[in-house]
Amino acid sequence: MRTVRRVWGAVRWYARELTGEAECDRYCDRHRRHHPHAPVPTRREYEALRTLRREEHPQSRCC
Amino acid sequence: MPTSALPESGRQAPEKSRMSPKSVAIWSAVAALGALGWGVLALARGEEISAVWLVVAALGSYAIAYRFYSRFIARRVLQVDDTRATPAERLEDGVDYHPTDKRVLFGHHFAAIAGAGPLVGPVLAAQMGYLPGTIWIIAGVIFAGAVQDMIVLFLSMRRDGKSLGQMARDEIGRVGGAAALIGVFAIMIILLAVLAMVVVNALAESAWGTFSVSMTIPIALFMGFYLRYLRPGRVVETSFIGVALLLLAILGGGWIQDSSLAEYFVWSPETLVFCLVGYGFFASVLPVWMLLAPRDYLSTFMKVGTIALMAVGVVIAAPNLKAESVTDFASTGAGPVFAGSLFPFLFITIACGALSGFHALVSSGTTPKLIQKESQVRLIGYGSMLTESFVAVMALIAACVLEPGLFYAMNSPAALLGPTVDTAAEAVKNLGFTITPDQLTAAAKAVEEETLVGRSGGAPTLAVGMSEIFAGVFGGAGMKAFWYHFAIMFEALFILTTVDAGTRVGRFMLQDMLGNVWKPIGRVTWKPGIWITSALVVGAWGYFLYAGVTDPLGGIKQLFPLFGIANQLLAAVALAVTTTVLIKSGRLRWAWVTGIPLAWDVAVTFTAGWQKIFSDNPAIGFFALRDKYAQAIEDGQLLPGATNMDDMHTIVLNNTVDGVIMAIFLLLVLTVLVNCAVVCVRAVRATEPLPTTEAPYVESRIDAPERSEEPLVGARS
């Protein structure tokens, strides 16, 4: 059971990292460290920021 | 730490190490297994062999190359230094730059470089038999493709993530830099056109395929809105919903095909061209969250899933290779799928699976800004490319498990095959292979398609091969039609993702270039500027797409060489820039590491380009074919392939355009090469090393990755 939970945890961690879902946590952590008094962006606000960035920095996909 | 088998030459040996007896034994076994695979491939004469040997030869070679050659490059040539802070550490901003776990970054990078290229090229290359293709895919990736990806990644990382174009400008000069930039843009246009043509050929006249692929647009839109308004940021959950809907769309396609709605989804190639052009335009101007980002997630999930499924399928089903090891077309150069002899045309046809210039753009984009430790360029640069090459090997297997008769009936140009299964069977017989009209009908029926005759472009062939392999493992013959359309869907998904991302990147490049001439168009927030440049980009690839689709002689046969040469020329640019930087930074004695692949690549591309322009054989030379048809127009006669005078004029126009484009590509790359050579000579003669733009050394403050693993579990949600 413990192994199953560990493997599931690892898969979940990898999927979240790969899709960028985990980026929000990292960003908010950083935000807290650097601007302790400013309000941390909500998930919705963060995602809006992230898509805006993506809008301006297209990444090429290869053949 | 793993240990080295290379003779430690003293001076800059990072550490004294000798292989333990255990690892000597393991690596000897790996080498022996790989050698066994190659031995079986080489010694098979006449009898069919199992595809498993191909997989064994490939994996054995990759393992040895990764363990020894990539390590040699990392230590001796690049002298990676884990005490040096990477840009991800120095410039960390939580957005562009942040140290990323190497396994995650491997996934990111692989998803960015892998696409339809390694799936299509090897299928077409099966015309020459499985052996030449396999040798080039494996040897090419080990000594050229993976080396290029890794070194470009490293050099870009040492320059804070500069793009290939910027590096060319900074390290070589403005002329070479400008030529590289224009070359990249032009090459991208051809690439998008050819990839889009593969989709058109796969979907034309197929209600099932057209329905399921067009359903990906509403699915992506739904995912986009779901991610933005219902569950912001829940990407994994959304992707699972998307994949489930996608599978439903494939099943739904089968139902549509048998219903009265089928006729609404049977589209002609020309209609599909206009749909694709329209799609490309909207994907470029709509906000990314709506269409582009969700498609990208979907495509990444499908990519990883399908490739894993394919590997399992090949190993479990262990199909026999029906193709010959080396066909006569390898020496005569008279093959129906693509013209020309083995050298140079095999090497430009396989393209992405062995060496792909396009990867240099990805390797000098986002990835270098995310690397945690310098030594990780090995896994991320070299390792990702080996994986991509493995995908190409599997595509080759899928094409070679088909009966050769079926392969040629699917991939020869329509002009050769004629309109019916009977004419096609006759044409295949003339090529020296056998397939009966009944077998052709049965093969089409098994995958529930109207016909398989003349379905060129590589995607349908791969799909039939994959359905053959998958049906042997999961679900039996009854599932063949599902697997066929699954494969078509996943290729189309790949390609459409490349097309929409590529159009967007192309738009930004064009805005950047035109912005130098007229300021407002360069502003990324000015709507009319976005619309104009998007229209220009889709118009450019749309033109080649339309010309290819309506080409009476078969667009794939005409345009695929152009695409292959373009991609390999881009690799020549990347290898020339890396060689120059190696020499400038005082590593002349290691310059052969990129110099030899560069010399080979230049020989291949320039021979191929030269033949395409100057050959007097109309089957190969663009201008020779043009002259032949122009002469016939003057004489008032119709030549094979053309059904009326308009066709004749189309052929003349297309060949003129293709020939001129080819010449422009060669000249642009020649400019870069000459400029590089000048800089190299100057660097060798100089007493002091020439200035480079490498960022200065800063000591790293994060621990070596071996000691500080990211926590696997416990990432907060």
Side-chain angles (χ1 to χ4, degrees), chain A residues 14 21 25 53 55 61 63, chain B residues 95 103 117 296 504 716:
Chain A
Y14 194 79
E21 197 176 311
D25 305 339
R53 268 214 67 80
E55 196 84 52
R61 287 284 182 228
C63 33
Chain B
V95 186
R103 293 157 296 183
D296 209 34
R504 223 186 164 82
R716 292 176 310 106

Side-chain angles (χ1 to χ4, degrees), chain B residues 663-676:
Chain B
I664 293 174
F665 282 171
L666 290 180
L667 286 175
L668 281 171
V669 175
L670 199 62
T671 313
V672 178
L673 291 178
V674 170
N675 205 334
C676 282

Side-chain angles (χ1 to χ4, degrees), chain B residues 108-171:
Chain B
H108 273 300
H109 187 73
F110 176 68
I113 62 169
L119 297 173
V120 173
V123 171
L124 303 182
Q127 160 173 280
M128 293 190 172
Y130 62 81
L131 199 55
T134 308
I135 294 175
W136 170 237
I137 292 173
I138 297 174
V141 77
I142 289 173
F143 296 107
V147 175
Q148 172 207 267
D149 287 20
M150 175 176 167
I151 299 187
V152 169
L153 180 62
F154 174 82
L155 295 178
S156 172
M157 178 188 70
R158 281 275 173 103
R159 284 159 184 75
D160 297 345
K162 281 207 180 111
S163 71
L164 182 70
Q166 279 173 311
M167 285 198 282
R169 198 174 42 218
D170 295 347
E171 300 284 346

Side-chain angles (χ1 to χ4, degrees), chain B residues 37-75:
Chain B
W38 282 116
V40 173
L41 290 186
L43 298 176
R45 284 285 169 271
E47 75 273 30
E48 285 178 10
I49 61 160
S50 168
V52 170
W53 294 114
L54 244 152
V55 173
V56 169
L59 291 181
S61 312
Y62 296 155
I64 297 287
Y66 182 77
R67 171 64 179 77
F68 298 102
Y69 192 49
S70 79
R71 185 182 161 97
F72 157 77
I73 295 174
R75 290 187 164 193

Side-chain angles (χ1 to χ4, degrees), chain B residues 251-277:
Chain B
L251 289 172
W255 178 77
I256 290 281
Q257 170 123 311
D258 299 328
S259 76
S260 55
L261 293 171
E263 55 183 309
Y264 299 108
F265 290 97
V266 178
W267 297 350
S268 70
E270 287 85 350
T271 317
L272 282 165
V273 169
F274 288 109
C275 293
L276 276 181
V277 166

Side-chain angles (χ1 to χ4, degrees), chain B residues 206-223:
Chain B
S206 161
W208 187 334
T210 309
F211 172 79
S212 39
V213 172
S214 38
M215 284 313 283
T216 60
I217 297 173
I219 292 173
L221 288 172
F222 166 75
M223 288 169 68

